[in-house]
């Protein structure tokens, strides 16, 4: 005989199968499962309570609805009296985006795994293999050293089939969901210039860095994004499985890691190296951006974020309250589930060199003179001693690497790269 938990889950799944702001629709979905509504007097008060709690909120997970049912005294009394049994009838799930902006997102309607496989252009068996809990590892990995800190960054790159699926998720779903306006990284049409330009010529510049940004965004946060978009829980969980990863124990044993870092990687998280991770990271940090943008506005400051780099700037009034503001920012970062890297926090006043993202911002976004002179010296030595003498990091295509540096100078300061380009053209690559 099915247990109470199974009956409750059937009811919860039916209630959460569609929008929860329409009580009549909720009653219509569960009526076939409870039979005579006159004997289920507990149902209408339950629907009213659930609609009040979840009607305007993002779509709840089924276990959250089940918890509310078990906490509803009239249902508990009915169950004890033998009147709370739920029939095992199918309920067709519907899209149920949260109220407000999510209802305007131009995303495809997907209500089951068959439709998801079709939308991602996958065979159903391939989708099942990618989202199954098992020993199959769909990622390659490498450790990237961080020279200044002595720590390592784990790059987790999906293999061919998973990468194809993730690119479909990115193009068909995530690209249609806008992040917060303050998020300037990983957005079409945005660049590092859009990140730093609002902060040029300001009295005070405040820089923050988030530690282990991608691993800090766990699967539960990713699931909430897809539920907010309106996808039924089975679809939302499948999308979450496609875009998150728990690093295997064997991989973690390759390096000596701090306990907190090891725990973040061992928990399902956004893998740094997946095509979907940058967009999901922006969406996962939406609440953080909302709170920090509101704090900055209240303080008369400006705020932008590029991945894990946070910038605030303001005038004389902001400079006077910078210590208190810095404390408030740190508190919000922690409350939102991130960790500030205090070693990289900087308070830069107008009398100092205000720099961020490799650019100097005192007057206008400009390349640091030391970086410009260093690039010029490398190019000159390539002409004098050959490019092999300067390729100390063993770039496979050193010419393309240098051309990228020149393109960066051209992008930030058009015309400034002409002299450097003249030196580059004299290099003998034979």
């Amino acid at each position: 005989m099915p247990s109470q938990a199974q009956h409750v889950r059937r009811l919860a799944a039916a209630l959460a199968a569609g929008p929860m702001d329409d009580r009549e629709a909720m009653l219509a979905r569960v009526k076939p499962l409870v039979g005579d509504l006159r004997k289920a007097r507990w149902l209408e008060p339950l629907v009213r309570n659930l609609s009040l709690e979840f009607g305007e909120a993002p779509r709840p997970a089924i276990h959250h609805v089940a918890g509310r049912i078990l906490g509803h005294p009239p249902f508990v009394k009915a169950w004890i009296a033998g009147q709370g049994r739920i029939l095992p009838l199918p309920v067709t799930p519907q899209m149920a985006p949260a109220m407000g902006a999510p209802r305007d997102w131009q995303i495809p309607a997907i209500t089951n795994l068959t439709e998801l496989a079709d939308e991602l252009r996958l065979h159903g068996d391939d989708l099942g293999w990618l989202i199954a809990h098992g020993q199959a590892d769909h990622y390659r990995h490498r450790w990237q050293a961080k020279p200044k800190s002595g720590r390592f960054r784990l790059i987790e790159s999906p293999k061919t089939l998973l990468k194809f699926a993730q690119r479909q998720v990115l193009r068909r779903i995530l690209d249609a969901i806008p992040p917060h306006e303050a998020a300037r990284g990983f957005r079409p049409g945005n660049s590092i210039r859009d990140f730093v330009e609002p902060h040029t010529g300001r009295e005070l510049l405040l820089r923050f860095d988030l530690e282990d940004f991608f691993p800090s965004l766990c699967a539960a946060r990713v699931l909430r994004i897809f539920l907010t978009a309106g996808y039924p829980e089975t679809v939302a969980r499948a999308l979450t499985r496609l875009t998150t990863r728990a690093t295997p124990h064997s991989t973690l044993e390759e390096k000596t890691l701090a306990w907190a870092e090891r725990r973040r990687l061992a928990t399902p998280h956004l893998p740094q190296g997946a095509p979907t991770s940058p967009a999901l990271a922006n969406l996962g940090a939406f609440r953080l951006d909302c709170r920090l943008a509101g704090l900055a506005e209240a303080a008369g400051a400006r705020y932008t974020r590029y991945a894990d780099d946070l910038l605030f700037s303001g005038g004389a009034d902001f400079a006077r309250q910078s210590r208190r503001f810095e404390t408030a920012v740190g508190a919000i970062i922690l409350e939102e589930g991130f960790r500030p890297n205090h070693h990289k926090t900087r308070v830069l006043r107008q009398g100092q060199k205000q720099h961020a993202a490799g650019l100097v911002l005192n007057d206008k976004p400009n390349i640091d003179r030391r970086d410009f002179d260093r690039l010029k010296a490398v190019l000159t030595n390539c002409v004098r001693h050959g490019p092999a003498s300067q390729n100390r990091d063993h770039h496979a295509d050193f010419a393309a690497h240098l051309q990228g540096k020149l393109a960066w100078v051209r992008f930030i300061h058009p015309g400034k790269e002409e002299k450097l380009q003249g030196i580059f053209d004299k290099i003998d690559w034979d």
Side-chain angles (χ1 to χ4, degrees):
M1 178 180 292
S3 67
Q4 182 191 38
Q6 290 173 302
H7 282 273
V8 168
R9 183 170 178 81
R10 287 176 196 161
L11 178 60
L15 289 167
M20 299 188 72
D21 58 336
D22 187 341
R23 298 179 191 178
E24 294 299 322
M26 292 174 69
L27 287 169
R29 286 198 297 273
V30 300
K31 182 180 178 180
L33 281 68
V34 299
D36 190 352
L37 288 178
R38 291 174 297 179
K39 295 182 180 180
R41 296 180 180 178
W42 49 268
L43 184 57
E44 287 196 24
L46 173 63
V47 167
R48 182 175 62 252
N49 292 346
L50 292 174
S51 183
L52 288 172
E53 181 175 359
F54 299 118
E56 297 184 6
R59 186 175 203 149
I62 292 173
H63 72 271
H64 288 146
V65 179
R68 302 303 187 274
I69 295 172
L70 288 171
H72 186 63
F75 171 79
V76 175
K77 290 180 181 179
W79 176 268
I80 294 172
Q83 297 177 354
R85 275 47 179 176
I86 308 301
L87 299 175
L89 300 177
V91 176
T92 303
Q94 307 167 26
M95 292 290 289
M99 293 188 71
R103 299 197 173 182
D104 295 326
W105 295 346
Q106 300 301 308
I107 57 176
I110 305 171
T111 59
N112 56 57
L113 295 184
T114 300
E115 292 178 1
L116 177 61
D118 291 342
E119 188 67 38
L120 301 185
R121 297 165 58 193
L122 293 173
H123 190 280
D125 291 344
D126 287 336
L127 176 62
W129 182 54
L130 291 175
I131 65 176
H133 293 270
Q135 297 300 315
D137 190 359
H138 302 288
Y139 287 86
R140 299 182 179 89
H141 76 276
R142 62 185 172 87
W143 294 95
Q144 188 179 79
K146 299 179 181 180
K148 293 183 179 180
S149 65
R151 297 173 60 204
F152 292 90
R153 176 186 292 112
L154 179 60
I155 306 299
E156 301 172 291
S157 303
K159 295 178 183 177
T160 304
L161 182 61
L162 180 58
K163 181 179 288 187
F164 173 81
Q166 289 177 343
R167 284 176 172 162
Q168 298 304 310
V169 173
L170 176 64
R171 293 167 183 165
R172 298 173 183 271
I173 299 175
L174 298 179
D175 280 348
I177 304 178
H180 192 278
E181 194 275 333
R184 303 298 171 88
F186 315 124
R187 298 181 65 175
N190 275 251
S191 68
I192 203 74
R193 182 189 289 275
D194 298 288
F195 170 54
V196 301
E197 216 155 31
H199 306 284
T200 56
R202 307 283 278 173
E203 179 69 25
L204 182 132
L205 179 71
L206 182 59
R207 274 175 35 197
F208 279 87
D209 180 85
L210 301 179
E211 189 174 278
D212 293 336
F213 181 53
F214 287 102
S216 296
L217 290 150
C218 64
R221 199 182 294 239
V222 175
L223 175 65
R224 177 57 54 193
I225 293 169
F226 292 120
L227 289 174
T228 300
Y231 290 113
E233 187 171 342
T234 53
V235 175
R237 289 195 180 277
L239 288 166
T240 301
R241 288 281 298 166
L242 285 173
T243 54
T244 60
R245 185 203 192 202
T247 306
H249 179 74
S250 58
T251 301
L252 298 177
E253 289 298 310
E254 295 175 4
K255 300 294 179 183
T256 301
L257 304 173
W259 179 85
E261 184 179 5
R262 179 184 294 271
R263 182 183 179 189
R264 282 192 288 272
L265 290 172
T267 303
H269 61 275
L270 288 182
Q272 188 164 354
T276 47
S277 290
L280 282 170
N282 273 344
L283 298 175
F286 188 86
R287 266 178 53 98
L288 174 72
D289 290 333
C290 285
R291 294 185 65 185
L292 292 181
L295 180 69
E297 184 178 2
R302 297 172 183 170
Y303 163 66
T304 57
R305 179 179 60 80
Y306 197 102
D308 55 358
D309 292 321
L310 281 58
L311 285 185
F312 301 87
S313 65
D317 290 341
F318 176 63
R320 282 192 288 271
Q321 58 180 309
S322 61
R323 185 71 62 85
R324 191 166 63 250
F325 185 87
E326 183 180 344
T327 302
V329 170
I332 289 174
I333 290 173
L334 290 172
E335 289 169 5
E336 291 302 320
F338 298 95
R339 290 172 57 86
N341 187 342
H342 295 293
H343 297 294
K344 293 187 176 181
T345 300
R346 296 289 185 274
V347 179
L348 303 170
R349 300 183 182 276
Q350 185 59 237
Q352 302 171 270
K353 182 172 70 173
Q354 296 179 329
H355 57 95
L359 300 174
V360 179
L361 310 180
N362 292 73
D363 182 29
K364 61 180 181 180
N366 208 344
I367 295 172
D368 192 321
R369 184 69 196 182
R370 291 178 300 180
D371 294 336
F372 182 86
D373 291 344
R374 190 179 297 116
L375 177 58
K376 181 180 177 182
V378 167
L379 293 171
T380 301
N381 286 332
C382 284
V383 174
R384 293 176 179 174
H385 308 295
S389 67
Q390 302 301 303
N391 189 12
R392 298 184 178 90
D393 292 329
H394 309 290
H395 294 284
D397 190 342
F398 190 47
H401 171 72
L402 292 178
Q403 286 175 330
K405 296 273 189 180
L406 293 174
W408 170 247
V409 176
R410 185 183 306 114
F411 173 71
I412 297 299
H413 202 305
K416 196 171 183 177
E417 91 293 347
E418 292 178 358
K419 186 175 182 179
L420 299 179
Q421 185 66 50
I423 302 174
F424 177 86
D425 292 340
K426 296 177 183 178
I427 298 174
D428 183 3
W429 295 100
D430 296 330

